[in-house]
Amino acid sequence: MKVAVLISGRGSNLHSLIQASNEPKSGFEIILVISNKRNALGLETAKEVGIPIEIIDHRNFSNRESFDNKITEFIESINIELICLAGFMRILSESFINRWYDQIINIHPSKLPAFKGLNVHQRVIDAGEKNSGCTVHFVRNKMDTGPIICQASVPVYANDDVESLSSRILKKEHIIYPQAVKLIAQGRVAVNGEYTLIDGKNIFPKNC
Ligand code: GRF
């Protein structure tokens, strides 16, 4: 399965996806990394392993659709089958999401549907939550919604700050994101309304 990864920054999830793609039976290959930021650290990771990169700076486009159309142009030209958002900090237009329906997935650092949006870890701490986690889901038009593929949990401790909680969650992100992509590449994920079915069942895969 041909995969494109869209990033805006650090790229640690990109790194975990690259590593997983190199496993013998992964079933997927990352053939393009797109960033809207020229200085995104993740671009260096892609370059190191020889994955082609494209920088598409959103500031060069007069509106969201034209920026998104440029992304579509690139990914259509190389027959991408799955788009992975990995810390991509742009909201995608409805037309883009409809064009790639069930072919865009995202990782979000909370247990969706709880704590959608930004500044998640601080809000989790402020709310006194006892656990949090991360979610891989298909992307729909409303932000941080869509059928959930994998989800992992971590405890929240009384002395946690954003840094300690986010790094605990990030370790789980690096497990479940590659896992979700492998499941899709192996043809084991189906979307049925608001649910994903894994091997035909409404369950979470192992490790989640
Ligand atoms: C991750 O926490 C991810 O859940 C969120 O953005 C962050 C990206 O981190 N969507 P990285 O760039 O993959 O290191």
Side-chain angles (χ1 to χ4, degrees):
M1 186 178 66
K2 291 181 174 180
V3 174
V5 183
L6 272 53
I7 63 167
S8 298
R10 179 177 56 184
S12 69
N13 280 287
L14 167 66
H15 180 73
S16 71
L17 291 172
I18 292 172
Q19 282 188 320
S21 72
N22 290 330
E23 291 166 15
K25 288 186 182 157
S26 72
F28 76 96
E29 191 185 358
I30 299 168
I31 60 171
L32 182 63
V33 172
I34 295 176
S35 173
N36 65 312
K37 301 261 190 189
R38 182 165 299 278
N39 60 356
L41 214 60
L43 290 172
E44 300 309 314
T45 310
K47 279 193 227 162
E48 272 164 28
V49 294
I51 298 174
I53 60 165
E54 285 297 340
I55 297 157
I56 309 177
D57 188 335
H58 58 279
R59 293 170 304 184
N60 296 337
F61 296 83
S62 55
N63 57 41
R64 205 178 285 288
E65 275 76 19
S66 55
F67 170 71
D68 291 356
N69 286 342
K70 194 67 182 172
I71 300 177
T72 291
E73 228 175 77
F74 275 115
I75 53 190
E76 267 180 352
S77 70
I78 48 172
N79 301 318
I80 290 294
E81 296 162 272
L82 184 74
I83 301 164
C84 294
L85 308 182
F88 183 65
M89 299 303 287
R90 302 294 303 165
I91 292 175
L92 293 161
S93 58
E94 203 169 324
S95 56
F96 183 88
I97 290 169
N98 291 339
R99 163 65 186 86
W100 298 102
Y101 208 77
D102 287 347
Q103 289 182 282
I104 317 174
I105 63 174
N106 179 44
I107 183 141
H108 181 78
S110 78
K111 288 184 76 177
L112 291 174
F115 297 97
K116 297 176 177 130
L118 298 173
N119 198 18
V120 172
H121 306 302
Q122 188 61 58
R123 287 190 289 127
V124 165
I125 291 167
D126 291 347
E129 294 289 335
K130 302 245 180 277
N131 67 67
S132 187
C134 49
T135 306
V136 183
H137 63 100
F138 285 100
V139 170
R140 295 293 185 256
N141 280 311
K142 283 196 194 131
M143 192 165 63
D144 299 326
T145 65
I148 291 171
I149 306 160
C150 290
Q151 204 162 52
S153 297
V154 303
V156 180
Y157 300 121
N159 59 355
D160 264 330
D161 56 17
V162 168
E163 204 186 320
S164 60
L165 180 57
S166 65
S167 77
R168 191 174 309 125
I169 291 174
L170 199 61
K171 287 193 188 116
K172 295 282 187 184
E173 294 185 33
H174 297 161
I175 297 170
I176 69 167
Y177 210 3
Q179 185 181 20
V181 177
K182 278 189 261 179
L183 285 168
I184 294 170
Q186 291 159 3
R188 296 171 60 192
V189 180
V191 181
N192 183 359
E194 288 311 302
Y195 291 95
T196 58
L197 302 179
I198 313 279
D199 297 329
K201 299 189 194 96
N202 183 21
I203 51 157
F204 281 137
K206 261 196 211 153
N207 288 337
C208 286

